[in-house]
Amino acid sequence: MVISAEPLIYGLIFIAVLALVQGIYLTVFGKSISLNNRVNRRLEMLEKGAGREQVLEQLRKEMSQHMSSRSIPLYAILADKAQKANIAFTPGQLIMVMGVLSVVAFVLLTFGTGAGLIIRLVLSILMGVGAVFVWVNNTAKKRIGMIEEQLPEAVELMVRSLRVGHPFASALQIVAKEVPDPLGTEMGVISDEAAYGRDVGDALKHMAERIDLQDLRFLAVAVTIQQTSGGNLAEILDGLAKVVRSRFKLFRRVRAITAEAKWSGMFLSGFPIVALIMINVIQPNYYDDVKETAYFIPACLVVAAFLVANIFVMRSLVNIKV
């Protein structure tokens, strides 16, 4: 019995292409573009000599370019995630990266496997597009998670600044300097927009809608109400910080409770596919006796339908909103 190594090679090639996406991104935009950088990107751009207005224009362009490109065929699927991830690549550059990765995958498949030309072409395109999609999706999840974690501390920093007598605009500037990315640059953009005359409440509301984060909507509403009705903004934000921190703790608790069910769902969804692949690798002739019968194709379709239904049912069972 000979076990083929090609499935493993396909997986390794996809992982290499996926790593190449991040490598290209850091090479083009520098280390400051990474989410875990201690100095936020806006401050690094200012330190390099760029003017405040120029930095604001560049960052605002990056923050809105993907949503304005939804009309590009097939790009609309990626636009929302790319917007939340705040990918600095333009839509055209992102599509170009997909093409480059597809070529790299095709070369690796050519030298690493014995698949036919058509199969290599199809797999290389799927790997190039899939690697970008997986990378953007993971970046969006990581970025939103980091903003959720940073927000209570940022709001508490605003509260302390307001209580010592700073105006709200100065509190935003302090958050923009002290808080690392991704929230630091976002608050820096709002601070710059306020300095050029934009309403702070509108700027916060726009950021909340763009990132699609409920806690940021709470912050925007609190600031807007205080602007129109008056009141002690420090006390309002202090209460908001406690609410946001409590929601974040509850979300972590719910995620810990549902972790076992999520992994069970992933295992139940993936095990049949893995078992099918292993059967075909170990014993390619396993289904020869039944695949010519009239019931083979209908049975395969029924099994595939149950597998797809299982994925959606398991996701709905553990998708608890906080």
Side-chain angles (χ1 to χ4, degrees):
M1 179 181 63
V2 179
I3 299 177
S4 174
E6 285 203 359
L8 178 61
I9 295 174
Y10 292 147
L12 293 176
I13 290 174
F14 181 76
I15 294 173
V17 171
L18 187 59
L20 186 59
V21 183
Q22 182 70 11
I24 294 174
Y25 196 55
L26 294 177
T27 301
V28 174
F29 295 101
K31 187 180 178 181
S32 64
I33 200 70
S34 60
L35 295 179
N36 56 358
N37 195 45
R38 294 183 63 85
V39 179
N40 68 57
R41 185 163 179 247
R42 171 179 169 271
L43 291 180
E44 185 161 308
M45 292 172 69
L46 291 172
E47 290 175 358
K48 289 181 178 179
R52 186 178 182 183
E53 185 176 355
Q54 180 184 357
V55 171
L56 176 61
E57 182 180 356
Q58 174 66 23
L59 293 176
R60 289 186 66 182
K61 179 182 176 182
E62 292 176 1
M63 291 174 179
S64 60
Q65 61 187 352
H66 297 287
M67 296 307 290
S68 59
S69 303
R70 287 180 173 180
S71 58
I72 300 177
L74 300 179
Y75 190 78
I77 303 174
L78 191 64
D80 184 59
K81 293 291 184 182
Q83 189 66 42
K84 292 178 182 179
N86 196 31
I87 301 299
F89 280 135
T90 64
Q93 289 173 337
L94 210 53
I95 293 174
M96 188 182 301
V97 169
M98 292 180 186
V100 171
L101 295 178
S102 297
V103 173
V104 172
F106 180 80
V107 173
L108 293 176
L109 288 171
T110 301
F111 287 100
T113 68
L117 178 61
I118 302 299
I119 295 177
R120 280 182 282 136
L121 284 172
V122 173
L123 285 177
S124 62
I125 294 173
L126 290 176
M127 286 184 179
V129 175
V132 172
F133 183 84
V134 170
W135 172 69
V136 170
N137 187 55
N138 290 341
T139 304
K141 287 182 179 180
K142 181 180 178 181
R143 186 170 186 268
I144 292 175
M146 292 180 69
I147 290 177
E148 286 179 331
E149 189 172 352
Q150 290 176 319
L151 187 58
E153 297 180 3
V155 175
E156 289 173 353
L157 182 57
M158 293 180 195
V159 172
R160 292 194 294 269
S161 300
L162 292 171
R163 283 177 174 169
V164 298
H166 292 295
F168 187 62
S170 298
L172 285 175
Q173 291 179 4
I174 293 173
V175 172
K177 291 180 180 179
E178 298 296 330
V179 176
D181 272 346
L183 190 58
T185 294
E186 292 282 354
M187 288 299 180
V189 170
I190 292 176
S191 175
D192 290 342
E193 289 179 337
Y196 285 109
R198 186 177 185 182
D199 182 74
V200 177
D202 290 341
L204 286 170
K205 182 179 179 181
H206 180 263
M207 180 180 70
E209 295 299 328
R210 175 168 44 81
I211 299 177
D212 192 21
L213 192 59
Q214 189 64 36
D215 293 339
L216 286 175
R217 293 191 181 97
F218 292 156
L219 176 61
V221 169
V223 173
T224 302
I225 291 175
Q226 193 277 336
Q227 287 178 332
T228 56
S229 304
N232 190 334
L233 183 58
E235 294 299 325
I236 295 173
L237 294 182
D238 184 48
L240 175 63
K242 293 178 181 178
V243 170
V244 172
R245 193 176 292 278
S246 298
R247 289 182 75 250
F248 184 72
K249 288 181 179 179
L250 179 60
F251 176 76
R252 283 287 182 90
R253 184 178 180 184
V254 170
R255 189 166 63 177
I257 293 173
T258 59
E260 182 180 355
K262 287 182 178 179
W263 280 103
S264 298
M266 291 173 60
F267 176 79
L268 292 174
S269 301
F271 178 76
I273 299 175
V274 174
L276 179 63
I277 294 174
M278 292 304 298
I279 289 172
N280 280 276
V281 170
I282 297 173
Q283 192 170 353
N285 302 323
Y286 186 79
Y287 295 104
D288 286 353
D289 295 336
V290 296
K291 68 181 181 181
E292 300 298 335
T293 63
Y295 299 103
F296 183 74
I297 299 299
C300 290
L301 294 176
V302 170
V303 171
F306 275 117
L307 287 175
V308 173
N310 171 72
I311 294 173
F312 287 103
V313 170
M314 294 301 296
R315 288 187 63 180
S316 64
L317 288 175
V318 297
N319 186 23
I320 300 175
K321 299 294 184 181
V322 181

